[in-house]
Amino acid sequence: MPAPSSPTYSAAAKIAANTAFRDLLDSGSGAGFIRIRDSADVLLAQVPLSDPSGSVNGTTGLLTLSISGPDTSADNNGTAAYGELCDSDGDVHLALATQSGSSAVSGKLVLNTLTIIAGGPVGIVSATIA
Amino acid sequence: MPGDTYWSSVSLLLPFDGTNGSDALVDESDNAGDRTITDGALLSTAQSKWGGASLNLTWPSIDVTRWTGTPFNRTSGQAVTIEAWLYIPTGTTDGGLIWEVGNHAVDFGHSAAELNVLTGSDTLDSHTLSKNTWHFIQMVVQTDNTWQFLVDESVLLSGTGLGSWSTGFSVGAQIGFEGSSTPSTSYYIDDLRFTKGVARSTTTPTEAFPIGPDTPDEVDGYVSADGPLGAPSLLGIVYPTGFVSADGPLGSPSLLGFHDFTSAIGSVLTRYVMDLTVDGDTVRVPISSWQATLQTDRSSYVQCVVPACSPYVDDLTAATAFTIIRRATLPSGTALEYTMAEATISSLQTSRGPFNFTAVVQGYSAAFAADEDPPALLDRTLADIRFIGIASGVSRVRCAVDWLLRPGQRAYANGDEILVGSISYYVNCGEASAEEYMEVAEQETDG
């Protein structure tokens, strides 16, 4: 095996880790969700996940989250600062910063705009964990 | 991770790690018990250089985070290193102290969006920082009382006069805002470290400051000697100690979201401006018109006209890219801005009219990705349709400019579905002749 240029886990390790994370999102009594908050932690929008919340690729370990539907009406006006992946009890299992853009960026919740207007729909186009 | 060779000299180490919104600032140095950390700047996970969080200083909810006591006293002839990471978001033009020790300070702001080194009320030098990126800033004082202030390894300022430093700084240290000025938004600080007695390396770190002392290699020695007059021999065996550090197998998340704010806009007047990218910063310029053709599979083209451009000639000449921004102020007072088109500048033309110069900026950007089955979440319904035609089997629709539609998405015109291959914008923003529309064309199919 050639020397790896970066830490390299086996597919089995990735599958186990991402499956455990997916199970955490599903650990509540219902479906989990993705919350979007501003820098003062005000809830701007909440996008529901499916239950189970996603599937893990049996070859690569990639976790692809399943989005149940958009939040059809954002809760508050504000500037999106970060997102949270929560179980149905509201326990946060991943928090990540936002940035504006039109394509996915590793480690970020990318939104077409960070200006959230109450009443407008907010959805998640794609959500993966490598 | 290896430890710090100078750990015993570290008088303050704040990694600013923890839960978003927490005001628990933990000093990881061994001297933590010597001081009190007061006031309540908050940790934020919105930005972080290391460890997933940083200290977010915002106005007006946060004032100053201060350390009292005398742990930073410097005696004459003693080296000192103060260092931290700094992140200034776009839009922040005025901030506050990055740090202040005694009468010597580094701050950001003065309404000029510059990093300043000060002694008392005297600004020794200022430096323009690029936004939305982390910078490593350092103040290094040598034993001969000479000092350097560095940003990303570059010496910004150096000198020999230490002012109050030469007699120590027993009043404590602080970071954050002070005084009556009103900073525009916020900034972030990560990994702040004071080291007393050491002038550290000025190389930008590639990882977080270590917590704890460096662990030396283990050495076992075997000694043998023939006798009191014989030659001794020493055999040393070094057992290297291994440190394993790697991110866990849980990989990096990527989430892509979409927000449709257009229902809140209604009949609110919208305007357009251009943002120039100049040396990593943004300069806003008024425009009188713009046109663009955004498309899949081919480069997109953007052009705009800057009337009365004399005040902006230097920025226009230095700019490398430009962005067309659509703006609206909602009845709630919320200011909405959205990127309509952006391009790398390929040409700049100026011409002189009867009273002033006019500039025409044009450029190209990468093609949008075509998608045969785009997510329904991104679908748009075209409004104010003026014309629908078909040429060479490709539908074209002239309609009102949509804030959110881009090539590669799906649009509906009078109920008919269009996979959008290109959008041509024609926008005249002049007060007397304002008119705007776009033409949406279907993706061309092979054959």
Side-chain angles (χ1 to χ4, degrees), chain A residues 7 9 13 17-18 21 34 41 77 81-82 85 94 96-97 102-103 105-113 115-117 120-130, chain B residues 20-21 44-47 56 58 188 245-261 263-264 330 332 334-338 368 375 377-378 404:
Chain A
Y9 289 96
N18 282 342
F21 181 79
I34 298 170
D41 303 328
N77 291 343
Y82 66 100
L85 267 64
L94 172 65
L96 69 175
S102 56
S103 56
V105 174
S106 179
K108 300 288 185 180
L109 166 55
V110 176
L111 291 160
N112 63 315
T113 176
T115 304
I116 304 296
I117 306 297
V122 179
I124 299 296
V125 178
S126 64
T128 60
I129 298 179
Chain B
N20 190 63
S44 170
T45 56
Q47 300 294 340
N56 181 211
T58 60
Y188 301 84
S245 175
D247 293 335
L250 200 58
S252 186
S254 298
L255 276 69
L256 181 62
F258 187 77
H259 174 45
D260 180 2
F261 48 78
S263 62
L330 305 182
S332 64
T334 299
L336 193 61
E337 295 196 347
Y338 201 75
F368 287 74
L377 186 66
L378 308 181
L404 305 176

Side-chain angles (χ1 to χ4, degrees), chain B residues 357-434:
Chain B
F357 286 93
T358 296
V360 177
V361 185
Q362 51 191 336
Y364 296 87
S365 58
F368 287 74
D371 191 343
E372 293 184 354
D373 186 20
L377 186 66
L378 308 181
D379 289 355
R380 307 295 300 161
T381 298
L382 303 181
D384 191 18
I385 294 174
R386 305 178 191 181
F387 166 83
I388 298 178
I390 299 177
S392 302
V394 174
S395 296
R396 302 183 72 88
V397 181
R398 182 175 296 183
C399 59
V401 174
D402 188 279
W403 286 74
L404 305 176
L405 183 66
R406 296 294 180 270
Q409 295 176 218
R410 185 185 294 106
Y412 289 93
N414 292 341
D416 292 332
E417 176 184 320
I418 298 174
L419 290 178
V420 179
S422 70
I423 306 174
S424 296
Y425 298 91
Y426 304 91
V427 177
N428 187 336
C429 334
E431 293 286 342
S433 55

